[in-house]
Structures are given as structure tokens and as C-alpha cells.
Amino acid sequence: TELNYDSKQSNRVATTALRQWPFLESTVARLSKGEDEAEKVVNDLKEIRSKLVQRKNMQVFVAGNLKDIPEPMQTLVDALNPPTTATTNSENLTTEKGELLTDISDFFTRSSNTGRAAVCSLSAIESSFLSLTASGVGAYDPNHASLLVAIEYLTALEGDFWVKLRGAGLTYGSSISNNTESKLLKFGLFKCTDVVSAFKAASQIVTDYASGESTIPHVGLESAKSSLAYSIISGVSTKLSAASQAWSSSYLGKKVDYDKWILSEISKVTVEDVMSSLVKYLIPLFDTQSNLSVTCPANKFRDQMGWQ
């Protein structure tokens, strides 16, 4: 998180444990100074609540058969409005109309720095973990479907990553994912016995496909496309999940029919499209311009000098 987002403007950075720890320590210290100081802490928290808990900041999702509710709109408004009591602070209530968020990607304040790395040793863990990030694609990028198929093919059960990384005993698991909101492409290794060798093996797999030494068979391509389609469809297999996804899609800058559109795009992907996305996005992911973070046991810290 610290490597990929702006440390001064990103909420993701501000809410990490490392950033929150000094604040929590100071808050505990203030609470222990006596009732007066503790009351100030409570008042500060109430002030924060009054700024955040405003009607204009809230959006409501309701799913169900609204036809069974008499005057559904008014009934919902009455049910959702706070009760008027003697303790209600009218100053904290506002009639200002809120605005529907349409694309939260604007809130992902990315860092402009690339090629950064951090290696952290922890005595509490017995294996190593790796995270590698580079620029990815947005939801409606013309290369999104082909990139998804490329990732699905490489990371499939009994696929190249499974056999040559997990099967070789280098790591318990690996993953590649593209976040359309932050437009970050991420490669991860977890529970590695040899994180450096696992990284090199993964990089070699991608390089072999890019160079033409390895090829994608038609059966493998169709299998990856089918697996992707099942994954997308299963996410909206119930009425509630379908309604929920349609509602949340607006936050992600997606249209209501996004799933239908991406399924259509996936069905058109060819081997050439997959190879193009692999070269354009996955090869740079393993380049020195990506941001790298490694966490390892304390007794294996010196082994990480190979990253230099």
C-alpha cells in the first residue's frame, strides 16, 4: 500500500496499521490522563461522527418485492429517517441533497513513483510473501478481456504457475489480479520456501510465452474463457447478488450491464489477443519498474540480497 499510493492523500495509506498505530497510542495515552482529557477525546470522536454521519453522505440499497409495501417510497423514507427526540442535535442534521458516487477510481490516489522496493523481516512468520505491482487496466479498457483470459490461463489449476511454482515446492500459492478501480496489476506469492527462486520461475514462465518458446493451445484458451465465464456468472447467480452487483457497479464506474458486456468481449478473445496482453502488461509486471515488497522470516533476511 505504501509503495503504490500517495502517502499524503490516499485513504488506503492512512488506514494501514503502521499509520494508525501512533494515533491509537496517543489516544490511549490521552484517555489515561484523567476524566477531563478523556472527555475531550469523546468530544473529538463526536465531532468526527457529526461530520461523517450526514444524510448527504449516505446511500441506501433496498432489494425485494416493493410491490408488497404500500407507498414504498414514503414508507422507506419514514423508516430510514432518524427519530426526532430530545437528544437529537438538529445542528448535525442537514437537508442538503447528496450526490450518487459514480466512479470511486477517482479516489484511488496513486503514487507516481515506480521501481520502489521494500524487504521486511518478521520473527513471527516461518515463510516468505511477495507482492509485485505495476500499471493495469480499467473496466472498459479494450485489452481488459484478453488480459483476464491471459491471467486465467497462467493461473489455472494444474496450469503453468501451479505446476512450476507450487508443484516444484517453491511456494504454497501464487496469484495475478487486475484491479479495475485502482488500475493496478498485482502478482503475489505466499508461503514461499524460496521466494527469490519462485519469483524467477514465474518470470521465466511469462518470458517463455512472450518469446514463443511456449504456446497457448486452442483447448487451453477455451478452457480459460469458460472458467472466466463461470466465475462471472456465479457471482450473480441469485436475485439478491444480481441486484447487489447492479447497484454497486455504479461505484466502480461500470454500467448495469457490465457483466453481459465483458462476457461478450471474453468470447471474442483469440490467442493473438492473449499474447498481445501478456507482452504488454505481464512482461512489465516482472520488470524493475514495478513496485516490489517482500516479507520474510528474520533468519532469511540475508537471503533476500539477491533482489539487488
Side-chain angles (χ1 to χ4, degrees):
T1 301
E2 295 275 349
L3 296 177
N4 298 313
Y5 297 95
D6 191 302
S7 61
K8 295 182 179 179
Q9 301 183 60
S10 173
N11 284 337
R12 285 207 166 194
V13 174
T15 55
T16 60
L18 292 177
R19 295 278 179 170
Q20 285 291 302
W21 185 254
F23 163 74
L24 295 174
E25 277 193 324
S26 63
T27 302
V28 171
R30 289 177 62 190
L31 289 171
S32 63
K33 289 182 179 180
E35 291 185 6
D36 292 341
E37 190 64 27
E39 186 176 353
K40 291 180 181 179
V41 172
V42 173
N43 290 335
D44 288 344
L45 294 174
K46 287 182 178 179
E47 179 68 17
I48 294 173
R49 182 181 63 183
S50 69
K51 299 297 183 183
L52 294 178
V53 185
Q54 294 279 353
R55 294 175 186 173
K56 65 177 182 178
N57 296 334
M58 298 181 183
Q59 296 177 19
V60 180
F61 169 67
V62 178
N65 188 359
L66 300 182
K67 295 180 179 179
D68 289 345
I69 303 177
E71 299 184 5
M73 184 60 70
Q74 189 58 47
T75 300
L76 291 172
V77 169
D78 293 340
L80 294 170
N81 273 328
T84 303
T85 64
T87 60
T88 300
N89 187 351
S90 60
E91 295 181 357
N92 292 336
L93 299 178
T94 177
T95 57
E96 183 179 347
K97 187 177 180 180
E99 296 182 2
L100 181 66
L101 297 175
T102 56
D103 191 351
I104 63 173
S105 62
D106 293 337
F107 296 90
F108 285 86
T109 311
R110 292 261 304 275
S111 172
S112 59
N113 297 320
T114 59
R116 300 194 292 176
V119 179
C120 178
S121 62
L122 297 174
S123 58
I125 60 177
E126 298 179 348
S127 54
S128 301
F129 299 80
L130 175 145
S131 176
L132 196 65
T133 52
S135 294
V137 301
Y140 287 97
D141 190 284
N143 295 313
H144 186 203
S146 56
L147 178 60
L148 288 176
V149 175
I151 292 172
E152 183 66 28
Y153 174 77
L154 291 173
T155 59
L157 184 66
E158 299 297 338
D160 287 83
F161 276 31
W162 177 281
V163 173
K164 297 179 181 180
L165 299 181
R166 181 186 173 102
L170 298 175
T171 181
Y172 182 78
S174 62
S175 65
I176 306 178
S177 60
N178 175 71
N179 188 308
T180 57
E181 294 88 71
S182 62
K183 295 180 182 178
L184 280 174
L185 185 63
K186 179 180 177 182
F187 168 69
L189 294 171
F190 51 94
K191 295 185 178 180
C192 298
T193 55
D194 188 342
V195 67
V196 176
S197 296
F199 168 82
K200 291 180 178 179
S203 178
Q204 189 60 50
I205 291 171
V206 176
T207 301
D208 287 345
Y209 278 101
S211 65
E213 186 173 334
S214 297
T215 58
I216 300 175
H218 178 74
V219 173
L221 174 68
E222 293 304 316
S223 176
K225 291 162 68 172
S226 298
S227 180
L228 266 178
Y230 174 79
S231 177
I232 294 170
I233 294 171
S234 64
V236 289
S237 58
T238 65
K239 292 180 180 179
L240 179 59
S241 62
S244 177
Q245 179 130 325
W247 175 70
S248 62
S249 63
S250 62
Y251 293 99
L252 308 178
K254 300 175 181 177
K255 298 179 182 179
V256 175
D257 64 347
Y258 177 77
D259 284 350
K260 182 179 179 180
W261 175 81
I262 194 65
L263 283 171
S264 175
E265 292 298 301
I266 289 172
S267 67
K268 302 173 186 176
V269 171
T270 64
V271 171
E272 290 73 20
D273 296 331
V274 173
M275 293 304 301
S276 176
S277 287
L278 187 147
V279 172
K280 186 175 182 178
Y281 298 104
L282 296 183
I283 287 293
L285 179 60
F286 292 89
D287 190 72
T288 55
Q289 291 304 304
S290 296
N291 290 329
L292 168 73
S293 64
V294 176
T295 308
C296 64
N299 61 353
K300 292 187 177 181
F301 181 73
R302 291 187 178 276
D303 297 340
Q304 308 311 313
M305 295 303 103
W307 294 110
Q308 298 178 356

